[in-house]
Amino acid sequence: MGGNSFGRIFCFTSFGESHGKAVGGIIDGCPAGIRVDYEMIDRDLARRKPVESVFNSLRKEDEKVEFYSGIFEDVTLGTPIAFSIANKDHRPEDYDELKDIYRPSHADYTYMMKYGIRDHRGGGRASARETAARVVAGAFAKMILRKAKISISAYVSQIGPISLEKTYSKLDLSLIDSTSVRCPDALIAQRMFDYLEEVRKEDDSTGGIVSCVVKNVPPGLGEPVFDKLHAVLGHAMLSINGAKGFDIGSGFECAGMRGSEHNDLFYSVDSIVHTRTNHSGGIQGGISNGEDIYFKVAFKPVPTIMKPQETLNMNLEKVVFAGKGRHDICIVPRAVPIVEAMAAMVIADFLLSEKTYS
């Protein structure tokens, strides 16, 4: 299986399946001399875990990270950092009946077609359980970015039809984690929560959108043509389980605008260049321009629902399938730290490649 590594200078390789012994990874290219912020790692892992809510999976993992290399006396050595997170809360019996079934909108059929074998327990490698390792790697990327005073904040801006219309500049981003849905607007958060209750009662699921803003990125990050900064960000976000759309800056809205509306006009203050608007989302020509980078990631409804659905088994016979066990109604709040982690890895990788890290 290819495609398990991400990044060039700051390179992360993940391993593990949903119900295997562990998930984990190897981080290569992390600079030496960074004091490891274990509290940040634990905090971000806790944000990815299901909250105590009827809307989330009841799977409970300790998320205890064990490091094997690359760290000495709590400081990075510059050598590969290997780590694992044990899977302890196993209930493989929940998936016994899935052994011969292709679940709607899951990777069961495509994995079988590609590899001729699949781990049906929780989706195996296709499970979002794999993203726990990304969060650990993202925390190390955040430690690099913190030295450069770059910050990343993601939050839920839509669940189902309930949307937060305010832009990030009009929000108090310190309130992101004040609600279980990770929306920094308390009124909209309550409406989202109420909508999730409706969905739960109907044995269904729903999708939503995570918005993200990256501040204090210096101008000059990114490569022209195929490795444009926004192209790599899009790659990173669309690699997250359940992600179906990526929209940066004015995004799809720009298709209905005129150039006179959309152009970001330049001005300078104390020899520092700024733009009067930021429809470009902080990136022009694939290279950062020093303004805030902001984007949105759309996530599909959770495909496992409790409603009976018609599907096929491996003999191509029609069967009726209804989900059971421990499943989220909406993964969007749990995706917030994963979006931050992937964004951090992208920016850290480009920062290191430009040798601007110090």
Side-chain angles (χ1 to χ4, degrees):
M1 175 185 281
N4 296 295
S5 299
F6 184 81
R8 300 169 302 171
I9 307 300
F10 185 95
C11 181
F12 169 62
T13 301
S14 78
F15 67 82
E17 292 81 39
S18 177
H19 284 66
K21 289 186 177 181
V23 294
I26 297 176
I27 305 164
D28 197 7
C30 184
I34 295 176
R35 182 156 295 279
V36 179
D37 188 341
Y38 296 106
E39 289 186 5
M40 177 195 289
I41 297 170
D42 291 342
R43 183 171 60 250
D44 281 354
L45 280 171
R47 295 170 76 214
R48 197 207 71 93
K49 289 170 63 175
V51 296
E52 295 294 333
S53 166
V54 295
F55 308 127
N56 296 107
S57 165
L58 296 179
R59 180 172 179 175
K60 296 181 180 180
E61 295 286 1
D62 293 337
E63 306 294 45
K64 179 67 176 175
V65 186
E66 186 170 359
F67 292 100
Y68 304 107
S69 65
I71 299 171
F72 179 68
E73 295 182 343
D74 300 330
V75 176
T76 59
L77 290 169
T79 56
I81 299 169
F83 66 91
S84 70
I85 307 168
N87 293 329
K88 296 181 179 179
D89 189 13
H90 290 285
R91 290 189 193 172
E93 65 275 8
D94 286 349
Y95 303 95
D96 285 347
E97 70 172 26
L98 304 180
K99 184 176 181 181
D100 299 317
I101 292 178
Y102 296 138
R103 294 170 296 169
S105 288
H106 284 75
D108 301 341
Y109 172 73
T110 52
Y111 266 55
M112 184 60 70
M113 292 301 101
K114 183 172 181 64
Y115 301 107
I117 187 173
R118 67 182 175 92
D119 182 350
H120 66 276
R121 303 167 303 167
R125 184 67 175 157
S127 169
R129 177 71 185 140
E130 175 267 334
T131 61
R134 302 190 193 203
V135 170
V136 176
F140 279 89
K142 286 181 179 180
M143 295 173 209
I144 296 170
L145 299 183
R146 186 163 56 187
K147 291 178 72 78
K149 296 181 170 48
I150 297 172
S151 67
I152 300 176
S153 299
Y155 60 92
V156 174
S157 56
Q158 184 172 334
I159 287 181
I162 312 301
S163 179
L164 175 60
E165 301 300 333
K166 295 178 183 176
T167 63
Y168 71 86
S169 60
K170 297 186 187 318
L171 296 168
D172 182 352
L173 299 182
S174 69
L175 300 177
I176 290 171
D177 291 316
S178 64
T179 66
S180 61
V181 293
R182 298 210 165 85
C183 174
D185 184 299
L187 182 61
I188 300 299
Q190 184 59 53
R191 290 178 57 199
M192 291 175 175
F193 193 89
D194 292 342
Y195 177 72
L196 288 173
E197 176 64 20
E198 292 178 28
V199 173
R200 181 189 68 82
K201 289 179 179 178
E202 295 175 7
D203 291 333
D204 218 329
S205 66
T206 189
I209 292 175
V210 172
S211 294
C212 186
V213 56
V214 188
K215 292 178 171 290
N216 300 321
V217 177
L221 299 189
E223 302 292 342
V225 193
F226 297 114
D227 288 331
K228 291 179 169 68
L229 179 53
H230 59 281
V232 180
L233 280 169
H235 176 191
M237 298 308 142
L238 291 173
S239 76
I240 300 172
N241 306 65
K244 299 298 287 184
F246 177 71
D247 182 305
I248 187 163
S250 59
F252 285 93
E253 184 183 352
C254 74
M257 300 172 70
R258 296 189 178 194
S260 55
E261 299 174 275
H262 190 264
N263 287 345
D264 295 319
L265 306 182
F266 290 108
Y267 72 100
S268 67
V269 176
D270 298 328
S271 299
I272 298 176
V273 175
H274 297 280
T275 58
R276 298 192 183 280
T277 55
N278 190 16
H279 298 301
S280 301
I283 300 173
Q284 294 169 326
I287 300 170
S288 61
N289 64 7
E291 301 296 322
D292 293 345
I293 295 172
Y294 67 96
F295 58 86
K296 297 185 290 187
V297 187
F299 289 88
K300 70 179 183 180
V302 177
T304 298
I305 61 176
M306 303 305 148
K307 287 185 174 183
Q309 300 177 91
E310 185 179 280
T311 188
L312 296 175
N313 62 22
M314 291 176 62
N315 295 321
L316 304 186
E317 299 166 331
K318 290 182 180 180
V319 295
V320 175
F321 164 76
K324 65 179 182 180
R326 303 166 296 173
H327 302 284
D328 296 273
I329 290 173
C330 179
I331 62 169
V332 180
R334 296 180 63 190
V336 166
I338 305 166
V339 168
E340 289 182 357
M342 294 306 298
M345 282 192 268
V346 170
I347 302 299
D349 192 28
F350 277 110
L351 194 67
L352 291 172
S353 71
E354 290 295 321
K355 299 183 175 29
T356 57
Y357 170 75
S358 61

